[in-house]
Amino acid sequence: MVLGGLAAGSLLAVLLDIPILQGCGTLVLIGLGTALLLWLIVRGLRRLLWRAGRRLAFSYLLIGVVPIPIAIAILMVGGYLLSGFFLSHLFRTELATLSAEVATTTTLAADAWASGASFDAPLPEVTFAFYRDGRLVGDPSSAPAEWPQWLENETDLALDPAARTRLPLVELDDDEGAGRRRVSLAAAVARGRYGVLAVFDGELQRELSRRAEVWVELTDRAAEDASGAVTVSLGSEEWVFQPARQDANDHSLQEFYAERAVPVRRMIIGIEAAGALHELASGEILQRNVAATLFAPLSVVLRNLVSSSSEIDAIAWLAFIVPAFLLFDLYIVAAFMAILLILGISRAVNRLSAATERVREGDFSVRIPVKRSDQIGRLQSSFNEMTANLESLVEQTASRERLEQELRIAQELQKSLLPSDFAARRGIQVATYFEPSAAIGGDYFDLLELREREERLAVVVADVAGHGLSAGLRMAMIKAAIDTLVQERHPPDRLFASLDRLVRSHERDRRSFVTATLTLIDVERGIAEITNAGHPPTYLLREGEVEEILLPGTPLGTLDGRYGRRRVELEPGDVLVWLSDGFIEAFDDSDDAFGYERAAQALAGEGQSASAVRDRLLAAVREHTGERAADDDRTMVVVRYLGRSVEPELSEEVELGVESEPVGAPE
């Protein structure tokens, strides 16, 4: 709807005779049209390539077929460009050779002129001008009156093999002042008072064409202006991009190659920068770069590239043809295998798709005919095995769901066994934490009020060996027994002895046991009686100091039946902490246990409320273990004694795996 409104608004803007709105509307319509076209292409490709066979065929077309003409086109373009570069190499080579010959001839003429000897020029197309004391001797029309010092410096560089430079290009009058100007080479060599200026007076481009067997066209200033050359400047650098001036149908070019019996077909064209064009007298740069347009038939390029020796030529062609033939054979084999693969995979995928649809509809009797012995056949066999076992798997899943439901019920039952609504009492502040390591834990804690003496509180923490449903059931049995025995006012020794007999009578595995600690707190008198049956120590926090109350005793379910006892007189502000071994044995990623020492250090510190002590220990354990899950159940009960005179204000709520809020009276 939004796109439709935008398109309608853009069309209205185009129809209105307002230039700004028309431009914006046109751009919007073009963008919408492009987006619509792309959307249609994507949708069309999706519908076309929905079937696996079509997708494979299209992929093979893109990978195995389309790259071939593209590669051929790239090779042809690359070969053409490389041929042009090769023509440039031939041109540069002959230009350098001619420059060296002119420079050498000039040197010989200068030596003869200085010594007064006679001299016969080896190059008939080179003319000389002689100087004495910097002045021209005689009057050649093309020579400057003053000695061209700049040209002498350039010639010295051309004569130096390490410099690897050519003679500069100079501009000369042609045909005795007929008005045409041409490009040529010049050299100047001085010997004391004497100097010789040499100018290649022939047709430079025709001489270079003859030597390189490549048709050469040098672009002078007038031709450059007429051909529409483009000059690009960047800083102090300047480049002239000169288009080709002549085509393969030029009459002089045809005659040039006709004299050499070379057919003018498949012409290669190259463009080379010959260098700057100078004014002969002063050395002023008249043209930044003289463009050389090079023409040669393909046969000339091949003849220069390949040795003229028939044996070497045959070896070269053999080295090219044999790999090409092998590559073609490999491609034919690959194409045949790809076609078979596409057909086979497409047929197999179609059968799998139809069979899967029947299974989705509930027909588990479907089978796929297996006629292949490769990976696809293996997949079809696996599908048949899957459908054969699917019904039993569905039944197993239903059974598993029923088991998980029963496990959730057991988990809720265990949660209900823990104290969830402990009424606040005078002078007591409580905080708890319970985190099972499995769905059902084996830890248990309880806070019991004695019926006959309301000012007494029983704190029970127990740890049943093991995890899971069996440990949870034993924990429920222990809770029921403890509730009964505590309310009947049994002494701790007799209570633990009864629990010991109960554990041993109902446990077939004699290696299983239960650790427990029972603390009776007389809130009126401030006395806590602690009895321990193999459980981790109780911690007493008093005025910032932590005391570890370690009471040796044997766990319930063993044969010894020895229990540790201690009577502690509480002062207002004292805090008692009971832990299960899940805190002590909390491991980090390096399997380093949290330990008793870290537990004592974490309990000490500022903030002595029950919740502050609990949260401080939890933070220390989490910092130690990081992201590692609990390996054992973690249970903690924190009771702070505030004194008889403090009134209660809060109540407690306990949740599985979540810290409870502080309960009891505030500080």
Side-chain angles (χ1 to χ4, degrees):
M1 182 180 297
V2 175
L3 293 177
L6 184 60
S10 302
L11 182 60
L12 180 61
V14 172
L15 295 178
L16 293 176
D17 192 15
I18 302 176
I20 296 179
L21 294 181
Q22 281 185 341
C24 295
T26 302
L27 291 177
V28 172
L29 288 177
I30 292 175
L32 291 177
T34 304
L36 178 61
L37 179 61
L38 293 176
W39 180 79
L40 291 175
I41 292 175
V42 172
R43 288 294 302 271
L45 288 176
R46 285 182 177 177
R47 292 182 63 87
L48 177 65
L49 303 179
W50 184 81
R51 301 182 71 88
R54 294 177 183 175
R55 186 170 300 178
L56 288 172
F58 184 73
S59 300
Y60 177 74
L61 179 68
L62 293 180
I63 297 174
V65 178
V66 173
I68 294 177
I70 296 177
I72 293 175
I74 292 175
L75 288 175
M76 293 177 64
V77 173
Y80 185 88
L81 294 176
L82 289 176
S83 299
F85 295 154
F86 183 67
L87 296 183
S88 299
H89 165 71
L90 295 177
F91 168 77
R92 289 193 301 269
T93 301
E94 297 305 329
L95 181 58
T97 302
L98 183 58
S99 297
E101 292 177 1
V102 173
T104 303
T105 301
T106 308
T107 302
L108 296 175
D111 292 338
W113 170 239
S115 62
S118 61
F119 173 73
D120 293 329
L123 295 177
E125 294 180 315
V126 176
T127 59
F128 300 96
F130 299 94
Y131 291 80
R132 182 187 297 115
D133 296 328
R135 301 293 299 175
L136 178 64
V137 177
D139 189 21
S141 59
S142 60
E146 300 291 335
W147 175 250
Q149 183 63 45
W150 73 274
L151 186 56
E152 179 185 352
N153 298 332
E154 295 290 336
T155 304
D156 291 340
L157 290 175
L159 289 171
D160 185 5
R164 295 184 180 180
T165 186
R166 302 179 299 230
L167 290 177
L169 298 177
V170 296
E171 188 176 64
L172 302 176
D173 291 332
D174 194 16
D175 297 333
E176 299 180 355
R180 246 184 109 248
R181 307 185 69 82
R182 57 192 174 89
V183 178
S184 186
L185 294 174
V189 177
R191 292 292 184 265
R193 298 172 52 207
Y194 301 93
V196 174
L197 169 66
V199 176
F200 184 80
D201 206 21
E203 190 70 24
L204 180 60
Q205 56 188 7
R206 296 299 168 260
E207 178 66 18
L208 293 175
S209 299
R210 182 186 65 81
R211 289 169 175 253
E213 294 187 354
V214 175
W215 183 258
V216 179
E217 284 289 334
L218 297 178
T219 307
D220 56 16
R221 286 184 294 166
E224 181 181 299
D225 297 336
S227 62
V230 178
T231 303
V232 177
S233 299
L234 182 61
S236 60
E237 299 293 332
E238 183 177 286
W239 293 272
V240 177
F241 294 92
Q242 172 65 45
R245 292 178 52 231
Q246 191 170 10
D247 56 33
N249 296 320
D250 184 85
H251 181 67
S252 56
L253 184 148
Q254 299 280 350
E255 290 182 351
F256 175 78
Y257 283 110
E259 294 175 356
R260 289 159 177 78
V262 176
V264 183
R265 296 196 306 268
R266 294 187 290 274
M267 187 66 67
I268 304 297
I269 302 176
I271 298 178
E272 172 68 12
L277 181 64
H278 301 266
E279 202 272 329
L280 179 58
S282 63
E284 177 187 357
I285 296 178
L286 304 176
Q287 185 177 340
R288 283 288 183 182
N289 225 330
V290 175
T293 307
L294 312 173
F295 296 86
L298 182 59
S299 58
V300 173
V301 177
L302 294 177
R303 187 172 67 245
N304 284 276
L305 280 174
V306 182
S307 171
S308 59
S309 172
S310 58
E311 295 180 359
I312 299 178
D313 192 33
I315 294 174
W317 281 107
L318 185 64
F320 173 77
I321 292 175
V322 171
F325 181 76
L326 292 177
L327 180 62
F328 177 76
D329 289 345
L330 289 176
Y331 176 76
I332 294 299
V333 173
F336 180 73
M337 293 183 62
I339 293 174
L340 294 180
L341 180 64
I342 292 171
L343 293 177
I345 292 179
S346 177
R347 186 182 299 111
V349 169
N350 291 337
R351 289 176 178 175
L352 282 172
S353 178
T356 303
E357 183 65 22
R358 291 179 59 184
V359 171
R360 188 182 66 84
E361 295 173 355
D363 183 7
F364 303 128
S365 63
V366 61
R367 298 293 184 271
I368 299 176
V370 180
K371 300 180 180 180
R372 304 173 63 101
S373 59
D374 55 4
Q375 190 176 15
I376 297 177
R378 182 69 176 176
L379 178 62
Q380 292 172 339
S381 299
S382 300
F383 180 85
N384 292 336
E385 295 175 2
M386 179 194 69
T387 55
N389 298 327
L390 189 57
E391 187 173 3
S392 60
L393 290 177
V394 170
E395 294 178 356
Q396 293 177 9
T397 301
S399 301
R400 188 181 299 110
E401 290 179 353
R402 289 192 297 270
L403 180 60
E404 291 177 354
Q405 179 66 24
E406 294 174 357
L407 191 61
R408 284 194 294 269
I409 294 174
Q411 188 178 10
E412 293 296 328
L413 178 60
Q414 183 185 36
K415 180 179 178 181
S416 66
L417 296 178
L418 299 176
S420 59
D421 187 15
F422 177 74
R425 295 188 54 82
R426 182 191 305 273
I428 293 294
Q429 188 182 59
V430 179
T432 62
Y433 180 83
F434 177 70
E435 179 185 358
S437 61
I440 299 177
D443 281 7
Y444 158 68
F445 75 92
D446 209 346
L447 302 169
L448 302 174
E449 296 178 333
L450 300 184
R451 295 182 183 143
E452 296 182 4
R453 298 182 61 180
E454 295 299 330
E455 297 301 327
R456 295 189 68 189
L457 176 67
V459 180
V460 182
V461 179
D463 183 1
V464 179
H467 308 285
L469 184 60
S470 60
L473 293 176
R474 290 197 297 272
M475 185 270 284
M477 179 186 67
I478 296 295
K479 172 183 170 53
I482 289 178
D483 283 349
T484 301
L485 295 174
V486 169
Q487 295 298 339
E488 291 178 357
R489 300 285 309 280
H490 286 274
D493 287 345
R494 288 182 55 192
L495 186 148
F496 278 173
S498 299
L499 290 177
D500 180 77
R501 289 192 299 271
L502 178 65
V503 171
R504 284 190 282 115
S505 64
H506 288 82
E507 186 56 59
R508 295 180 181 179
D509 187 358
R510 299 304 177 182
R511 293 173 297 177
S512 299
F513 55 88
V514 178
T515 64
T517 180
L518 170 64
T519 303
L520 300 177
I521 301 177
D522 191 329
V523 181
E524 182 71 26
R525 295 185 301 162
I527 297 175
E529 296 181 357
I530 306 173
T531 305
N532 187 282
H535 203 73
T538 303
Y539 292 92
L540 173 63
L541 281 66
R542 176 176 292 171
E543 296 181 354
E545 299 292 332
V546 178
E547 179 185 355
E548 185 180 69
I549 303 176
L550 181 61
L551 303 176
T554 58
L556 305 176
T558 58
L559 298 178
D560 293 341
R562 293 180 290 104
Y563 314 113
R565 299 189 62 182
R566 178 171 172 178
R567 178 187 179 95
V568 178
E569 295 185 1
L570 300 177
E571 299 178 1
D574 286 354
V575 178
L576 291 173
V577 181
W578 297 269
L579 305 174
S580 67
D581 57 1
F583 282 97
I584 306 302
E585 297 175 357
F587 295 97
D588 60 7
D589 292 336
S590 302
D591 291 332
D592 181 22
F594 186 67
Y596 294 98
E597 183 177 353
R598 289 192 181 97
Q601 293 175 354
L603 292 173
E606 299 180 358
Q608 295 298 317
S609 68
S611 62
V613 173
R614 176 199 63 195
D615 295 342
R616 191 160 58 240
L617 179 60
L618 290 176
V621 172
R622 287 167 183 163
E623 181 180 359
H624 176 74
T625 60
E627 300 295 330
R628 179 167 177 170
D631 299 316
D632 195 4
D633 303 334
R634 297 174 183 174
T635 303
M636 174 171 45
V637 178
V638 181
V639 174
R640 186 182 185 195
Y641 179 68
L642 303 177
R644 172 64 181 169
S645 61
V646 180
E647 295 293 334
E649 293 185 2
L650 302 177
S651 61
E652 178 190 44
E653 180 178 355
V654 179
E655 295 185 8
L656 287 174
V658 180
E659 309 92 358
S660 66
E661 297 296 331
V663 300
E667 298 182 62

